[in-house]
Every structure is written in structure tokens, then in C-alpha cells.
Amino acid sequence: SDFLLASNGVLSAQLAGSVRFLDSREDEQEREITMKASSIALRHEFNSKRYLLHLVDSPGHIDFSSEVSTAIRVSDGAVIVVDLVDCVTTQTMSMLRQVFTEGLSMVLVLNKVDLLITTMQLTAEEAYIRMRTVIESCNATLASFTNQLEIAGERSDLLKDVPEDNV
């Protein structure tokens, strides 16, 4: 989130990544984890059109799932950040379910790509396979939620634009 804040002039580009600006509590700074959701409004301009983005930085750890639930309920969309070292965790699947259930648009972001090479010493092919596996796992998780709704008879209009399979 620091880099997004830097893009709006809230932080200097040199401090981005080291300040943990939205982790404002002392215990969050000490432990280097987000424990309470924080938010900030950011501006973005694209194709001469202005947008206002309300960034809600919520905890990723399972112990703070109530914070994530609250943040999701007040959002129009979600950025699901998956750590490529830890891959898809129970908490990731829980967040995917919550975002899916709320009917929010979502974007998947793969985080810590650099650590695949520098720390884990993976080859380019192994790093690619790991990234592909994470994406496939997230897609399979979302597909299973859709199937569960279909089985329960609650499919609604989630798949209205999907063409029929004529094979």
C-alpha cells in the first residue's frame, strides 16, 4: 500500500515499502503485520477521467478475519494479494469466498515474486509453474463456490453470460 500512497504524493517514493504507513499502531509496526483495517482515499486519473479509490488495508492473517469481513462489506471490489512463498492458504480461500459471496469484482495480485528467485532459488521455469499453480488454485476455488451454489439451487445470475457447451 505504501507504493500506492507514494503515487498520490502521501509518501515519498524513497520511503515507500519501508514506512508501512497504514499500519499506524505501534504493535503493527513492531510485528510488521496488519492487525486493524485502515483506509485512505486515493486519486487516480486514466484517459482524462478521474477516479477516487478508497483503499482498505485489512489483515491477511486468520486471527483477524473479522477485520477482513468488515472491510469487504463496505467495498465495491477487492484486490486479493497472494504471497507466492506461502501460496494459497486457508485465509486466502476464506477471503475468496467472502468476496465471491458479496458479489464483488476482484483482482488477483501475486506478491513476493522476487523471493522465488532470490530466496527460494527457483529457476525461471519453476517460478512460472509456482505462479501458474497459484492462479489455477484460486480459479478452482472460485469455480467450486459456483458449483456449490448451483448444487444448492442458488446459482442466480452469476453465470448468465457464459455460453452453453455444445460439445
Side-chain angles (χ1 to χ4, degrees):
S1 60
D2 281 358
F3 292 98
L4 290 172
L5 297 175
S7 74
N8 268 240
V10 177
L11 284 179
S12 71
Q14 293 80 13
L15 292 176
S18 62
V19 174
R20 300 180 60 88
F21 187 84
L22 293 178
D23 292 337
S24 56
R25 296 168 29 147
E26 189 175 323
D27 54 349
E28 290 178 314
Q29 288 289 330
E30 287 172 6
R31 295 176 64 186
E32 296 184 352
I33 62 169
T34 303
M35 294 168 28
K36 287 286 185 187
S38 299
S39 63
I40 192 167
L42 302 172
R43 294 176 307 230
H44 180 70
E45 190 169 325
F46 182 71
N47 288 340
S48 301
K49 192 171 181 182
R50 292 184 177 172
Y51 297 91
L52 182 63
L53 168 74
H54 292 283
L55 173 66
V56 180
D57 183 14
S58 62
H61 193 273
I62 193 75
D63 291 345
F64 306 105
S65 59
S66 63
E67 287 287 323
V68 175
S69 297
T70 302
I72 287 172
R73 287 192 190 101
V74 298
S75 301
D76 296 323
V79 177
I80 306 294
V81 180
V82 179
D83 179 327
L84 285 171
V85 175
D86 295 335
C87 294
V88 178
T89 64
T90 303
Q91 179 63 7
T92 307
M93 290 189 284
S94 174
M95 283 190 280
L96 286 169
R97 178 180 284 284
Q98 288 177 9
V99 170
F100 180 85
T101 302
E102 292 293 325
L104 302 180
S105 297
M106 64 183 94
V107 174
L108 179 66
V109 174
L110 303 179
N111 194 23
K112 301 184 182 177
V113 175
D114 58 326
L115 296 181
L116 296 178
I117 307 298
T118 60
T119 303
M120 298 178 67
Q121 302 290 309
L122 299 182
T123 65
E125 183 177 359
E126 291 168 331
Y128 166 78
I129 291 169
R130 190 173 191 103
M131 289 185 274
R132 187 184 71 200
T133 301
V134 166
I135 294 167
E136 288 172 350
S137 179
C138 289
N139 285 339
T141 300
L142 291 170
S144 73
F145 299 153
T146 303
N147 290 339
Q148 289 169 10
L149 285 176
E150 190 172 293
I151 290 168
E154 301 172 17
R155 186 172 178 180
S156 71
D157 9 300
L158 290 173
L159 300 175
K160 273 190 176 173
D161 295 331
V162 175
E164 292 294 320
D165 186 1
N166 294 325
V167 178

